Amino acid sequence: MTTAETALSAHPFDTAIALDRAAESPHHYRGVTSPAYWNMVGPFGGSTAATALQAVMLHPQRLGEPLALTVNYAAALAEGEFAIHARPVRTNRSTQHWLIEMTQVDAAGNSQLVLTATAVTAARRETWSQNDRPLPTVSAPEDTPEVILFAGSEWVRRYAIRPVRGGIPSVMDDSGDDSLSQFWLRDQPPRPLDFAALASMADAFFPRVWLRRARRVPAGTVSLTVYFHAGSAELAAHGSDFLLGQAEGQAFKNGFFDQAGHLWSRSGDLLATTHQMVYFKE
Amino acid sequence: MTTAETALSAHPFDTAIALDRAAESPHHYRGVTSPAYWNMVGPFGGSTAATALQAVMLHPQRLGEPLALTVNYAAALAEGEFAIHARPVRTNRSTQHWLIEMTQVDAAGNSQLVLTATAVTAARRETWSQNDRPLPTVSAPEDTPEVILFAGSEWVRRYAIRPVRGGIPSVMDDSGDDSLSQFWLRDQPPRPLDFAALASMADAFFPRVWLRRARRVPAGTVSLTVYFHAGSAELAAHGSDFLLGQAEGQAFKNGFFDQAGHLWSRSGDLLATTHQMVYFKE
């Protein structure tokens, strides 16, 4: 297969998170924003988080697999090239700590920081295990109609989303009374699950304030954390099947709210838990 | 009041998080570990998180108040001096993004990274607000007996802890069936609440795996996130009254578990939500 054929057959998510490593340093990566995952004023935050994590995944000094990822969105990415600096700052026997910074050259030619992130990777061992957040009782994905979450953002078309409850309110009339969403979701077209895809899906929920208030106000994630509870073998076994994602706001206060989320396999494995702090206006 | 008198009257928490700023740079701070907040093999992680946040609080370029804090514990601090490098890496109109690194010189004379953190501070404005996690119905702190959580760690004596439910199991016999704790807590002696104190209290729960299994196994926090839902005026109004803290594990899997937590004022304000990923053995 030639390079051109590979590119033609690549999944759009793989294209979106693709990075080139600099020849002179294992810590420096370059990428390009993807129109396929465009949101309103920049790329979808989930794909950006996945791209930051991808630098860790590609790093030749990486030990173990992702355990925790926190991404802080400092500015909207502009369309075009960006740079990532990802380095292991402490390597222990079974855990490794990472600092990640994403920058972009602005119109004046200055490099501007657009994202900071930290990650912890770990070599996990089998221990006593217990899932205290079982899969909610919901209709099967085959019995749940698929929707386009909202018009105007390209990234929503990159996911098959089947809301069990808590879809976008059909009428925005200030009538909301909770912010709980449960969606079956998977990549569109289907793609085998991996850490980057899971990080991205952790952000695949529209702003909780829209649901809670039944009112669409400007909103954007400021900080996103993902805890990974599965290893690569479990993710590979999951394949490209639907996940159940759940998201709910906890406190909405003076311009910011938090969101708590869960991502399960159909068989009930809690693959990831996630939290975010989100800006909203009004 | 002389400097000596100030030191004599200082609250042990203020002593623990005290930092000196370097004359030559606003980004460089020095501190010393506190025996009053000693845990088993290093300082209590809550006071360490508070110390990292304190560098941001003291920074002359800080804009706004803490919104989100993530602390990654890369290594146990040794007793003695440490350095903090805290810098604002992006300042927007109403949010500011911080990178924080804590280092310590090891026995061989080399500076070693012991902690990374990120923080977001923000200038908040009054908006529509809603607390969807009301204060649980629990007995008042006055009607709840105080306990020393466990012997052997000095820091537990720096908090008045009154467990409503989910205290340390009296018998470690593998009989546990949930990991939910609800504690009234405040500084001991009482101290007016501020962001640093709230960050520290977010970590004032013993490892969930001890409760879930009724079995004491080695455990330690790897990554801690705190989202602040109150401003300094609300924290000041809270004063030194008890908070209700709640913590619960979600997924325990192959050497790591996550914990979701909430901190309320007695009047029901959700002051902070918090999450952590914790290493455990066996």
Side-chain angles (χ1 to χ4, degrees):
Chain A
M1 190 184 280
T2 68
T3 305
E5 281 170 330
T6 308
L8 278 174
S9 64
H11 191 282
F13 188 73
D14 291 297
T15 306
I17 66 170
L19 294 172
D20 285 326
R21 189 162 63 227
E24 68 275 17
S25 159
H27 307 326
H28 288 88
Y29 297 81
R30 294 203 161 270
V32 184
T33 60
S34 167
Y37 286 83
W38 204 253
N39 196 2
M40 281 169 276
V41 294
F44 165 51
S47 63
T48 304
T51 306
L53 183 62
Q54 186 67 359
V56 174
M57 299 309 291
L58 294 174
H59 200 291
Q61 292 159 13
R62 175 170 57 89
L63 169 79
E65 298 185 332
L67 183 71
L69 172 72
T70 292
V71 175
N72 299 295
Y73 301 92
L77 262 74
E79 195 179 346
E81 281 196 21
F82 56 84
I84 295 181
H85 183 223
R87 61 195 170 99
V89 289
R90 173 107 191 189
T91 300
N92 299 315
R93 198 172 43 180
S94 61
T95 59
Q96 191 173 43
H97 289 256
W98 295 82
L99 274 182
I100 306 151
E101 293 172 78
M102 188 182 286
T103 53
Q104 216 171 21
V105 176
D106 68 12
N110 299 313
S111 175
Q112 299 286 355
L113 185 114
V114 292
L115 175 150
T116 65
T118 61
V120 182
T121 53
R124 305 182 79 154
R125 294 168 305 98
E126 203 170 307
T127 64
W128 174 86
S129 295
Q130 173 67 37
N131 173 13
D132 279 343
R133 289 286 178 275
L135 183 72
T137 304
V138 295
S139 58
E142 290 74 15
D143 301 329
T144 311
E146 201 158 306
V147 303
I148 296 294
L149 264 188
F150 46 86
S153 284
E154 186 60 24
W155 74 267
V156 300
R157 298 177 186 277
R158 298 292 89 72
Y159 290 100
I161 293 182
R162 302 184 178 183
V164 174
R165 64 168 286 173
I168 294 256
S170 50
V171 183
M172 289 290 189
D173 60 356
D174 293 287
S175 69
D177 51 23
D178 75 33
S179 68
L180 176 63
S181 286
Q182 294 171 328
F183 296 171
W184 289 108
L185 79 164
R186 69 175 178 198
D187 284 303
Q188 185 69 286
R191 175 183 177 277
L193 190 63
D194 57 15
F195 292 104
L198 203 50
S200 185
M201 289 177 187
D203 193 39
F205 296 87
F206 62 91
R208 301 294 87 200
V209 66
W210 295 3
L211 182 57
R212 185 62 182 84
R213 297 179 70 181
R215 183 185 177 98
R216 197 160 164 171
V217 297
T221 303
V222 175
S223 185
L224 167 71
T225 289
V226 184
Y227 296 152
F228 299 96
H229 302 294
S232 52
E234 289 157 289
L235 299 187
H238 179 81
S240 57
D241 195 8
F242 278 93
L243 297 181
L244 186 75
Q246 175 174 292
E248 191 172 19
Q250 301 192 112
F252 302 81
K253 187 72 178 284
N254 291 346
F256 296 90
F257 69 87
D258 69 336
Q259 169 186 307
H262 301 77
L263 290 159
W264 291 271
S265 70
R266 185 199 291 246
S267 58
D269 289 327
L270 183 53
L271 302 177
T273 47
T274 179
H275 307 93
Q276 59 179 267
M277 193 69 158
V278 183
Y279 160 82
F280 71 97
K281 199 170 175 178
E282 298 168 29
Chain B
M1 190 185 276
T2 68
T3 306
E5 280 169 331
T6 309
L8 278 173
S9 64
H11 191 282
F13 189 72
D14 290 296
T15 305
I17 67 170
L19 295 172
D20 285 326
R21 189 162 65 227
E24 67 275 16
S25 158
H27 306 326
H28 288 88
Y29 297 81
R30 294 206 161 268
V32 183
T33 60
S34 167
Y37 286 84
W38 204 252
N39 196 1
M40 281 170 275
V41 295
F44 165 51
S47 62
T48 304
T51 307
L53 183 61
Q54 186 67 359
V56 173
M57 299 309 292
L58 294 175
H59 201 291
Q61 293 160 13
R62 175 170 58 89
L63 169 79
E65 298 185 332
L67 183 72
L69 171 71
T70 292
V71 175
N72 299 294
Y73 300 92
L77 263 73
E79 195 178 347
E81 282 195 22
F82 55 83
I84 295 181
H85 184 225
R87 63 195 168 101
V89 290
R90 173 107 191 189
T91 300
N92 299 315
R93 200 172 43 180
S94 61
T95 58
Q96 191 173 43
H97 288 255
W98 296 82
L99 274 182
I100 306 151
E101 293 172 79
M102 188 181 288
T103 54
Q104 215 170 22
V105 176
D106 68 12
N110 300 313
S111 176
Q112 298 287 355
L113 185 115
V114 292
L115 175 150
T116 66
T118 61
V120 182
T121 53
R124 305 181 78 154
R125 295 166 306 97
E126 203 170 304
T127 64
W128 173 84
S129 295
Q130 172 67 38
N131 173 13
D132 279 343
R133 288 286 178 277
L135 182 72
T137 304
V138 295
S139 56
E142 290 73 15
D143 302 329
T144 310
E146 201 159 305
V147 303
I148 295 294
L149 265 188
F150 46 84
S153 284
E154 186 59 26
W155 74 268
V156 300
R157 299 177 186 277
R158 297 292 88 73
Y159 290 100
I161 293 182
R162 301 184 178 182
V164 174
R165 65 168 285 173
I168 294 256
S170 50
V171 183
M172 289 292 190
D173 61 355
D174 294 285
S175 69
D177 50 25
D178 75 33
S179 69
L180 175 63
S181 287
Q182 293 171 328
F183 296 171
W184 290 108
L185 80 162
R186 69 174 178 200
D187 285 303
Q188 185 70 284
R191 176 184 176 278
L193 191 63
D194 57 14
F195 292 104
L198 204 49
S200 186
M201 289 177 187
D203 193 38
F205 296 87
F206 61 90
R208 300 295 87 199
V209 66
W210 296 4
L211 181 58
R212 184 63 181 83
R213 297 179 71 180
R215 184 185 176 98
R216 197 161 164 170
V217 297
T221 304
V222 174
S223 186
L224 167 72
T225 289
V226 184
Y227 295 152
F228 299 96
H229 301 294
S232 52
E234 289 157 286
L235 299 187
H238 178 81
S240 57
D241 194 8
F242 278 94
L243 297 179
L244 186 76
Q246 176 173 293
E248 192 172 17
Q250 301 193 111
F252 301 81
K253 186 72 178 284
N254 290 347
F256 296 90
F257 69 86
D258 70 337
Q259 169 186 307
H262 300 77
L263 290 159
W264 292 271
S265 69
R266 187 200 290 247
S267 58
D269 290 328
L270 184 52
L271 302 177
T273 47
T274 179
H275 308 94
Q276 58 178 270
M277 194 68 159
V278 183
Y279 160 82
F280 72 96
K281 198 169 174 178
E282 297 167 29

